[in-house]
Amino acid sequence: MEVKLPTFDSVFSIDCVIFGFEAGELKILLIERNEEPFKDWLALPGYIVEQDESIDDAAERILYELTGLRDLHMQQFHTFGEVNRHPQGRVITVAYYALIRINGQKDLRPVTQFARKAFWHPVNELPKLAFDHSEIFNTGFNKIRRRLNYQPIAFELLPEKFTLTQLQSLYEAILNKKLDKRNFRKKMLSFGFLKELDEKQKGVSYRAAKLYKFDKRKYAKIFHNDMSIDK
Amino acid sequence: MEVKLPTFDSVFSIDCVIFGFEAGELKILLIERNEEPFKDWLALPGYIVEQDESIDDAAERILYELTGLRDLHMQQFHTFGEVNRHPQGRVITVAYYALIRINGQKDLRPVTQFARKAFWHPVNELPKLAFDHSEIFNTGFNKIRRRLNYQPIAFELLPEKFTLTQLQSLYEAILNKKLDKRNFRKKMLSFGFLKELDEKQKGVSYRAAKLYKFDKRKYAKIFHNDMSIDK
DNA sequence: TTTAATGGTGTAATTTTCACACACTATCTT
DNA sequence: AAGATAGTGTGTGAAAATTACACCATTAAA
């Protein structure tokens, strides 16, 4: 059974790679497509940009429509423009990423019929995705890995109050390697933008860890410049 | 006198920020436009992507048509998608950069009528450019400044054989600060990818400096991995 | 009270970064 | 040929950052 699809001329689209961290695992947000092409496939949340919206606005709108998530701070990271990346015609897509705390309460509700559902999936063992979305994901993952070194992106993935162990295991998940506990703590604390709280973890069946907060104001003061190389 | 211009729907374009280094100064390639809008203005080389070419291919073609330069290694660095960035309609542009040696011999010849001429202009004291090209330039300049720290891009700007002083002054031009000569040399040589030649500079009226080459193969061996943070 | 699980801590060796100044060489000028 | 000019080339010590490494402390559950 052949499905006849419309084709189109130049179209812009947006695709989103949204990272979350839950249960010690790094995850991304996927949707199950409800439309041809690639009906029933898993894909990154993505759709077509309208005439009268900037691409940044489009990214926010599209993510919301497909997943119900709003007000993330998304950043563009690459544009994919191979001729045949979309079977229906010429579609150039601008890829965005964001990092957010996964919030168990809020569930993910697509607003359009275009996605059947949206859900978190561990970044390890990702299935094959629609279009060139696997490649888009990989490019995005490499970007945030690099960016982790000079931007405070990890804190967007953790709850407001977190333990140093949680922070470390997030770094380990992103960088995909083990870090030394003592050195990690020493270094993180030396930056001076972590605020130690008077609270402790609750509900654990072992010694409770201290909680910390990321202090944006201190961070901004410390790093008005970048951390460049030489002198 | 009002000029009536066609408008268009979604269009992709490419704009190129091409860096060169000459006479101790960092320069970029500009064109003088010969078409409305912004006729007679200075602009980055840029034009519209065809239906049947990838954006990477388009970047090469467009740069060639507007400046006569070919076979550069261009890399995309950002996509600009504000709604009103182009007065004639919706144009989303993917910006590319490249770094090349300025070669006095070859002159710059636009192949299309769209550019009246193409020429090198120092990055300091840039005039106001057409469209949002000043912003595109700034974004690109910041990108290469950062990339200088982890990619061997400086060597693309120098002649094949160069002195350490030339290399240092290029770094200084990009980073816009003075570096210490002894520390710079020590560090550069410590990387191990500079090959010292038996030749010396010629035609200077002072002690001639040793010439060096960038050794791609050694570079590749040394940096198969990235230079990440911690352990 | 024991066990299981994780929290929390310090030091020494090594490497990297940084600040800093002067003698050398080639050419040009007089 | 002597001196001026202009850029080349080199080393060290202090300070800071990075790395490797192991054990006791605390809590809750069994």
Side-chain angles (χ1 to χ4, degrees), chain A residues 8-12 49-56 76-83 90-92 94 96 143 146-151 171 175 177-180 183-184 187-188 226-231, chain B residues 8-12 49-56 76-83 90-92 94 96 143 146-151 171 175 177-180 183-184 187-188 226-231:
Chain A
F8 29 71
D9 295 349
S10 304
V11 173
F12 316 119
V49 177
E50 302 287 346
Q51 282 288 320
D52 58 352
E53 62 184 353
S54 75
I55 55 176
D56 289 351
Q76 129 184 188
F77 66 87
H78 197 78
T79 296
F80 295 80
E82 289 303 313
V83 174
R90 186 68 196 277
V91 180
I92 292 180
V94 183
Y96 280 72
K143 273 284 149 92
R146 170 141 274 155
R147 225 161 270 198
L148 189 63
N149 293 344
Y150 55 88
Q151 305 247 308
Y171 267 76
L175 299 176
K177 65 180 176 190
K178 284 275 166 211
L179 304 175
D180 178 84
N183 293 338
F184 181 82
K187 177 141 196 180
M188 275 299 156
D226 36 14
M227 36 286 236
S228 44
I229 11 170
D230 305 325
K231 162 66 197 288
Chain B
F8 29 71
D9 294 350
S10 304
V11 174
F12 315 121
V49 177
E50 302 287 345
Q51 283 289 319
D52 59 352
E53 62 184 352
S54 75
I55 55 176
D56 289 351
Q76 104 171 217
F77 65 87
H78 196 78
T79 296
F80 295 81
E82 289 304 314
V83 174
R90 187 68 197 277
V91 181
I92 292 181
V94 183
Y96 280 72
K143 273 284 150 89
R146 170 142 274 154
R147 224 160 271 197
L148 189 62
N149 293 345
Y150 54 89
Q151 305 247 308
Y171 268 76
L175 299 175
K177 65 179 175 190
K178 283 277 165 208
L179 304 175
D180 178 85
N183 292 337
F184 181 82
K187 178 141 195 182
M188 274 299 154
D226 38 14
M227 35 283 239
S228 44
I229 11 171
D230 305 326
K231 161 65 199 283

Side-chain angles (χ1 to χ4, degrees), chain A residues 220-227:
Chain A
K221 269 191 196 164
I222 301 171
F223 296 107
H224 27 70
N225 328 345
D226 36 14
M227 36 286 236

Side-chain angles (χ1 to χ4, degrees), chain B residues 213-224:
Chain B
K213 251 181 161 169
F214 173 65
D215 187 333
K216 271 191 197 171
R217 291 188 44 195
K218 275 195 187 154
Y219 175 82
K221 267 190 197 165
I222 301 169
F223 295 107
H224 28 66

